[in-house]
Amino acid sequence: MNAVAAPTVRGYSRAVWILVVARAVNKIGAFTLPFLGVVLTVEFKASLSETGLILAIFGAATIPSRLLGGQLADRLGRRRTIVLGLVGCAVAQLWIALSHTLWSAVLATVLLGLAFEIYEPPSQAMIADVTKPEDRPAAYGLYSAALAAAGVLAGLLAAAISHWDLRWLFAADAITCLSCATLIAIALPADVRRPAPSAERRIAYADAQRDVPTGVRCDVTADVRREVSAWRDGRLLLLLASGTIFATIYMQLIIGLPLTLLEQGLSTSGTGIILAISAVTLIVAQRLLRVQNLDDFRSIAIGYVLLALGLLISAFAHTLLLFVAAAVLWSLGDLFLLTRYLTQASGLAPDEARGRYLAIFGLSWGVATTIAPLTVTQLLETSGPKGLWLTSAAVAAVLAALQPWFRKRLA
């Protein structure tokens, strides 16, 4: 999997374009997560506290899901792992759509969490496999741009389908998952089987013990020590904590927005409209703003200020138009924030441990997906939408103010 494929279309390999198209197709149907909480409360009559607990379980299940995806990508192969993850998501989505009891929906939600992140590590790894190092930023940029563009259509489809039984959303997403899996299985090159890394390390270690001096044996085992050294890097752990807070605010928007519209007596179709406008904002702003000219810490500070303003408007919004205005602001904030944390995490890592550093930092999203449902439902129950979004805005403002402090410890 280390060979770099020759570029075929506009400088990118055929595999990159297939992954981009397939992921865009899947993204078009991936509008169910913001509605999962609404389905549990409206269709299955779960209380807000029960909904929060169920969504927290879903979030916890995504943590081993991402780790499993990384292990299977190296052991089973990229293509097989991608197909496995997509089919697993489709099965879980259909299960939710066909459920008639809360317990059945809960089991399906757990399965969805366990399959939800399997796709990401092998797809990101395959792009690296078939792309030259100097071309990878552009290839990942193309990947992200396709997701943003597909997000526009996804939001509009969500707005249209949500007028009917919300469970149709999950059936539609299952169809796109299976379509994506079929495209991947047919069009991507076959997997190349490789020895497991652990087996390679055992062979190298055995050879070293038998043939080389003691000093070299220490060098051979250094790779094993580097496996755990990332967890001892205080800068990475500080960044992980900060990134987890950001990811929690982000997931609160995904989960809390449809529940807030429900609390305000607005149509659930408004969520799809807001998500579509959010995606359009990201696409247009990427073209107009020169965000890359800012350093990481200044960009993050600006992003948090914009995010806080959007959350502040959400706290007092009672009409769809105000929620749209808020979405434009927090989407602009996301533009300044989303890529900068990954840039910082990769910048902290030594070359030989970059994958492990990014994998550890990526756990922030699994933790956030576990925490956010609990904070959303508890704050909505105790203080309503105003309390939820004012609290989130305050946290974002504090993180903006703390960026000079983070600069001293991370730069």
Side-chain angles (χ1 to χ4, degrees):
M1 302 290 292
N2 292 324
V4 175
T8 58
V9 184
R10 295 186 181 182
Y12 299 108
S13 77
R14 178 171 173 266
V16 169
W17 284 105
I18 292 169
L19 283 168
V20 166
V21 171
R23 190 66 175 97
V25 170
N26 191 43
K27 175 67 174 180
I28 290 172
F31 43 65
T32 54
L33 184 57
F35 291 92
L36 183 55
V38 178
V39 168
L40 291 171
T41 55
V42 174
E43 303 291 338
F44 297 103
K45 310 304 180 186
S47 67
L48 271 178
S49 58
E50 288 173 334
T51 297
L53 179 60
I54 295 166
L55 293 178
I57 293 171
F58 165 81
T62 65
I63 297 175
S65 174
R66 179 175 285 269
L67 298 176
L68 177 62
Q71 289 290 327
L72 291 178
D74 289 335
R75 297 177 182 273
L76 187 63
R78 316 296 200 217
R79 187 178 69 173
R80 293 187 186 93
T81 304
I82 293 171
V83 171
L84 177 65
L86 290 170
V87 171
C89 284
V91 170
Q93 302 271 21
L94 285 174
W95 188 352
I96 292 174
L98 297 173
S99 292
H100 295 288
T101 65
L102 179 60
W103 279 110
S104 177
V106 169
L107 293 175
T109 300
V110 173
L111 176 61
L112 180 61
L114 291 172
F116 199 72
E117 295 285 348
I118 289 177
Y119 179 98
E120 291 297 339
S123 61
Q124 293 169 358
M126 179 170 276
I127 288 177
D129 291 339
V130 299
T131 308
K132 296 178 181 178
E134 61 270 21
D135 294 332
R136 285 172 193 164
Y140 284 121
L142 176 67
Y143 190 75
S144 299
L147 293 184
V152 178
L153 185 55
L156 296 176
L157 284 174
I161 296 176
S162 60
H163 285 294
W164 304 312
D165 190 325
L166 289 174
R167 280 181 284 192
W168 280 106
L169 293 170
F170 293 89
D173 199 3
I175 292 171
T176 61
C177 281
L178 291 175
S179 301
C180 183
T182 302
L183 176 60
I184 293 292
I186 293 174
L188 278 184
D191 293 315
V192 178
R193 300 302 299 271
R194 299 178 302 171
S198 58
E200 293 172 353
R201 282 199 295 269
R202 285 197 299 270
I203 293 170
Y205 180 72
D207 290 343
Q209 290 281 16
R210 183 174 57 252
D211 299 329
V212 299
T214 301
V216 178
R217 286 203 298 272
C218 293
D219 291 339
V220 172
T221 59
D223 184 57
V224 178
R225 289 196 300 272
R226 282 195 296 268
E227 291 284 351
V228 297
S229 65
W231 285 105
R232 297 176 181 171
D233 189 331
R235 299 171 305 157
L236 176 62
L237 298 182
L238 178 61
L239 191 63
L240 175 60
S242 175
T244 300
I245 297 172
F246 161 68
T248 301
I249 296 175
Y250 189 91
M251 291 308 302
Q252 284 183 164
L253 278 167
I254 297 295
I255 296 166
L257 180 62
L259 292 174
T260 296
L261 295 183
L262 197 64
E263 289 275 323
Q264 300 288 9
L266 298 174
S267 172
T268 53
S269 64
T271 300
I273 295 171
I274 291 170
L275 293 177
I277 290 173
S278 172
V280 170
T281 301
L282 282 172
I283 294 170
V284 173
Q286 282 177 337
R287 294 284 185 179
L288 298 179
L289 299 179
R290 296 185 177 275
V291 179
Q292 66 272 18
N293 293 340
L294 299 171
D295 67 44
D296 289 341
F297 299 97
R298 185 170 299 176
S299 177
I300 289 173
I302 293 172
Y304 274 126
V305 169
L306 291 168
L307 178 59
L309 290 173
L311 294 169
L312 189 62
I313 293 176
S314 298
F316 297 97
H318 295 285
T319 65
L320 184 59
L321 185 60
L322 279 176
F323 279 109
V324 167
V328 170
L329 283 171
W330 52 252
S331 298
L332 288 173
D334 290 344
L335 176 64
F336 285 88
L337 286 163
L338 281 172
T339 60
R340 296 302 178 138
Y341 275 112
L342 283 175
T343 301
Q344 288 185 330
S346 61
L348 291 177
D351 291 342
E352 70 276 8
R354 184 161 291 127
R356 289 185 286 276
Y357 269 64
L358 290 172
I360 291 171
F361 180 75
L363 295 178
S364 60
W365 289 96
V367 175
T369 309
T370 305
I371 296 172
L374 299 175
T375 57
V376 166
T377 52
Q378 289 301 310
L379 286 170
L380 282 177
E381 275 192 327
T382 57
S383 55
K386 185 179 293 186
L388 169 62
W389 302 121
L390 284 178
T391 302
S392 301
V395 173
V398 169
L399 285 172
L402 284 176
Q403 287 312 302
W405 182 82
F406 279 107
R407 183 190 294 273
K408 291 179 181 178
R409 284 153 182 79
L410 297 177

